[in-house]
Amino acid sequence: MNKLLSTVLLLLILCGCGDDEVNLPFTEPETDWNLSFSEMESQYQDIITETFSTDENIVLGDFSISGGSLSGVSALFYTEKNSIKTRYYFNKYRKLICSEVIIKTDEDISELLEKKYGTPKPNGYTWENENCLIGVYGKDGFWGISYANPIYVTTYGN
């Protein structure tokens, strides 16, 4: 019995079947759609590079994000840490609706996301994960990866 168990474990190690964790070259950002602008602003105050908010009745407009178009934005701020930029977008109630990471890397982020989240939607650039729509766009080694509340996103090419 021990020999059989040892053989199975050895095969799993050799095949790489025991490690299905995908290491992304960035920390995935917040996707708790209940987080408020003020909570996050205080949490990230040491690394915020720019912030903008309007009167809660004024919407800034639509924003192009990695997975499509984001609507209903009334506040946002940017952070930068270790050359990784993150944008946080908020609705008129000052609740988080999207987090977007911008990174420069030679790694193919879309391949890493596919390993982590499976087959993308038919457009090839977005994934659904619970209550989050994940989009990716890459050009010249720069990648944008958005994590958005699907209620606020119109995806390209569905």
Side-chain angles (χ1 to χ4, degrees), residues 60-122:
L60 296 174
D62 294 348
F63 285 79
S64 179
I65 59 171
S66 305
S69 179
L70 184 66
S71 61
V73 176
S74 289
L76 60 109
F77 68 80
Y78 303 90
T79 65
E80 186 168 355
K81 186 174 183 179
N82 301 327
S83 300
I84 298 173
K85 298 174 185 172
T86 308
R87 298 177 184 155
Y88 295 96
Y89 301 88
F90 301 84
N91 65 11
K92 69 179 184 177
Y93 305 108
R94 301 298 192 262
K95 296 294 183 184
L96 180 67
I97 59 174
C98 180
S99 301
E100 184 169 37
V101 174
I102 297 135
I103 183 173
K104 181 166 178 53
T105 181
D106 293 330
E107 291 187 69
D108 188 333
I109 300 297
S110 60
E111 285 182 7
L112 293 174
L113 290 172
E114 188 166 348
K115 286 179 185 174
K116 183 166 186 163
Y117 295 110
T119 304
K121 292 177 79 168

Side-chain angles (χ1 to χ4, degrees), residues 24-41:
L24 298 172
F26 58 91
T27 302
E28 290 183 289
E30 297 286 352
T31 58
D32 179 351
W33 310 134
N34 292 311
L35 287 173
S36 71
F37 180 79
S38 57
E39 288 173 317
M40 291 192 66
E41 192 176 37

Side-chain angles (χ1 to χ4, degrees), residues 29 65-68 98-101 132-137 144-148:
I65 59 171
S66 305
C98 180
S99 301
E100 184 169 37
V101 174
C132 185
L133 187 66
I134 302 162
V136 65
Y137 174 78
I145 308 96
S146 60
Y147 295 78

